[in-house]
Amino acid sequence: MEGCVLDDPRPENEPAVLVFEGGIPGFGAHRQFLLADLTDEGTFQELVCVDEPGLALVVASPWWFFPEYRPDLPEQDRAELAIGSPVDAAVFCAVVVDDDQLMMNLRAPFVVHASTHRARQVILDEDQPMRAPVLTAT
């Protein structure tokens, strides 16, 4: 029997809608978001509200800047997102500018199930900084 090649059923270049069933703090009742690249290499992305595109947040994969980052997701969050192993999850963190310095929130990453696109912002129990310096804004 030959192998089975699965194809993405979405039209070419159409991004997946991430569904935050519990919402995101500060974003009201909005539940559906898209990720859009802000840089050619994809280092920084924008988490954009589907219903209100002016409502957005800059995010990035923490491993671009903190290769040693190893978040331990609480069991309840893993169960609610049906994450059985690390390959099931995509993780990104909010990035803000504070006094001309880019800062990343490593304490409360956004976790997305890679295939279902269900997502949530997870508050980690471990000692991770809420404002870890990334690089100097120019």
Side-chain angles (χ1 to χ4, degrees):
M1 180 176 168
E2 286 191 39
C4 176
V5 177
L6 299 177
D7 204 2
D8 189 340
R10 294 174 290 153
E12 191 173 331
N13 297 325
E14 182 179 322
V17 174
L18 307 181
V19 179
F20 289 81
E21 293 173 357
I24 298 174
F27 283 73
H30 300 290
R31 303 286 185 262
Q32 296 185 336
F33 293 82
L34 298 172
L35 276 176
D37 285 341
L38 289 175
T39 57
D40 290 339
E41 67 280 351
T43 307
F44 294 98
Q45 297 175 307
E46 190 172 35
L47 186 63
V48 182
C49 179
V50 170
D51 300 325
E52 195 174 327
L55 187 60
L57 178 68
V58 175
V59 297
S61 169
W63 293 284
W64 281 104
F65 308 100
F66 303 97
E68 73 286 351
Y69 184 63
R70 299 288 180 269
D72 185 13
L73 299 180
E75 178 60 36
Q76 179 180 346
D77 294 302
R78 288 195 311 256
E80 287 182 21
L81 290 174
I83 293 175
S85 73
V87 298
D88 295 335
V91 177
F92 50 94
C93 297
V95 177
V96 298
V97 178
D98 187 8
D99 292 329
D100 293 330
Q101 176 74 37
L102 289 179
M103 306 294 253
M104 183 176 280
N105 182 349
L106 297 175
R107 170 94 40 95
F110 295 99
V111 180
V112 180
H113 190 286
S115 24
T116 66
H117 304 120
R118 290 181 57 222
R120 68 182 301 135
Q121 187 173 23
V122 174
I123 309 300
L124 299 175
D125 294 333
E126 59 200 64
D127 187 28
Q128 293 285 354
M130 289 188 71
R131 293 197 181 272
V134 174
L135 53 98
T136 303
T138 57

